[in-house]
Amino acid sequence: HLQVTVILVLLSFMLGLAAGGKLLVVPLDGSHWLSMRELLDRLSQKGHEIVVVAPEINLYIKPAKYLIMKMYPVPFTQEELDYAYWKTSQHVFEKGTFLERFLKTYEHAKNTSAMFLSTCTYLLYNKELVRYLKESKFDAVFTDPLLPCGQIVAEYLSLPSVVFLQQMPCDLDFEATQCPNPPSYIPKAFTDLTDHMNFLQRVKNVLFDFANYFLCDFVFQPYSQLASEFLQRNVTVVSLLSKASIWLLKIDFVLQYPRPLMPNMVLIGGVNCAPKKLSQ
């Protein structure tokens, strides 16, 4: 509850303390949305107006009495989306060598990134919706940067943004915030290393970084191109992420390795999904 209170204070500050603010939400579907929805419920109770922009085809982003929903069409079916998320859940539990896992990750990213990119493209080039967003005079954008579309919208509308995430692939969050990220101490994904490494393990940790950057360039470079075309100037995903005002990090150093933090980062470990009572 203390963590949720801290989040609400930060968001309330950005939205204006004297009266309820107007918050534009550009979410990511799945469990990411379930985490975000809990905070939006609390913000609504405090009198803020919340507008959620989401594709018509989705898993969990459904209308609620405290949300104003702005839906837009996308070029895929519900069945295609359901399969993509099911495949993701299966991929998480697959085992194998690093090379096997990397190749599977690459193949999965290739198959799903096109779908997510089209979601962003259809939002940005929906002229009627973008006109509405521009005329609505929002106070801030609340978004999940794993889908960089929210940051593109925030840049287009010249609005401050709050990002809500666990971690970005390929350490893009470190790069965007200029946060220290020494490979001698912070183990990379897929390495199975701890934060105590000998020399050879540190070398391995650095080498894994090269593979991650290759994968990320493949996934996120199209968003840089899309943003540059839409904003009509050259931008990168990292430069867009660097504009975020506050980073709400869903990590907990009890379960994850300690890492350096920047002043605009707030740890909110434990805020992952709306709490529900388990059956007997």
Side-chain angles (χ1 to χ4, degrees):
H1 289 85
L2 177 61
Q3 294 164 336
V4 173
T5 300
V6 170
I7 298 167
L8 294 175
V9 168
L10 289 168
L11 286 172
S12 295
F13 176 78
M14 295 194 69
L15 294 174
L17 297 176
K22 196 168 185 179
L23 183 66
L24 173 61
V25 181
V26 185
L28 181 63
D29 206 352
S31 60
H32 294 250
W33 165 249
L34 298 179
S35 306
M36 183 179 285
R37 189 177 62 187
E38 182 182 3
L39 298 183
L40 297 179
D41 184 17
R42 295 286 295 276
L43 283 171
S44 176
Q45 294 174 22
K46 290 181 173 291
H48 299 301
E49 182 180 345
I50 300 169
V51 177
V52 178
V53 176
E56 292 177 347
I57 305 299
N58 64 74
L59 290 180
Y60 301 127
I61 309 175
K62 307 304 179 185
K65 61 181 180 180
Y66 59 90
L67 301 175
I68 299 173
M69 304 297 296
K70 294 295 179 181
M71 315 298 284
Y72 60 93
V74 286
F76 49 81
T77 66
Q78 188 68 52
E79 291 73 20
E80 290 171 327
L81 180 69
D82 292 343
Y83 178 78
Y85 274 92
W86 174 83
K87 192 64 177 178
T88 298
S89 66
Q90 298 300 306
H91 172 74
V92 169
F93 297 103
E94 291 178 354
K95 296 183 178 180
T97 65
F98 166 72
L99 182 59
E100 290 172 336
R101 287 181 292 169
F102 178 81
L103 291 176
K104 288 180 180 178
T105 300
Y106 177 83
E107 186 65 25
H108 174 70
K110 184 174 68 174
N111 293 334
T112 58
S113 60
M115 180 179 293
F116 293 134
L117 181 65
S118 68
T119 298
C120 186
T121 303
Y122 272 66
L123 165 58
L124 297 178
Y125 286 99
N126 187 315
K127 294 183 178 179
E128 181 178 348
L129 178 56
V130 171
R131 186 184 307 113
Y132 163 81
L133 298 180
K134 198 168 186 178
E135 295 173 351
S136 295
K137 306 299 181 183
F138 291 99
D139 295 297
V141 174
F142 188 36
T143 187
D144 189 315
L146 202 59
L147 183 64
C149 215
Q151 283 302 111
I152 301 174
V153 172
E155 183 71 9
Y156 177 73
L157 299 177
S158 299
L159 292 173
S161 60
V162 178
V163 295
F164 183 71
L165 79 159
Q166 185 171 38
Q167 67 182 66
M168 292 284 293
C170 319
D171 297 332
L172 289 184
D173 49 335
F174 285 91
E175 187 176 354
T177 57
Q178 300 183 33
C179 187
N181 186 23
S184 298
Y185 300 99
I186 302 178
K188 307 301 178 183
F190 298 130
T191 60
D192 296 324
L193 297 172
T194 72
D195 54 336
H196 295 279
M197 294 176 270
N198 59 36
F199 176 75
L200 291 178
Q201 288 172 328
R202 293 176 186 178
V203 172
K204 175 184 177 181
N205 205 40
V206 172
L207 293 176
F208 271 58
D209 239 3
F210 293 121
N212 283 337
Y213 273 111
F214 170 77
L215 183 63
C216 260
D217 184 68
F218 162 77
V219 172
F220 286 103
Q221 181 58 29
Y223 288 97
S224 297
Q225 297 173 354
L226 175 62
S228 297
E229 293 170 2
F230 181 71
L231 298 172
Q232 298 185 342
R233 66 180 186 273
N234 289 330
V235 295
T236 65
V237 170
V238 170
S239 68
L240 289 169
L241 293 175
S242 68
K243 301 290 185 65
S245 300
I246 298 174
W247 292 70
L248 302 180
L249 301 180
K250 296 184 290 180
I251 61 176
D252 190 329
F253 289 161
V254 174
L255 300 175
Q256 291 156 302
Y257 300 114
R259 48 163 285 188
L261 298 173
M262 299 302 277
N264 63 339
M265 292 178 172
V266 182
L267 297 184
I268 53 171
V271 183
N272 285 303
C273 288
K276 288 188 177 182
K277 292 183 179 180
L278 297 175
S279 65
Q280 187 176 4

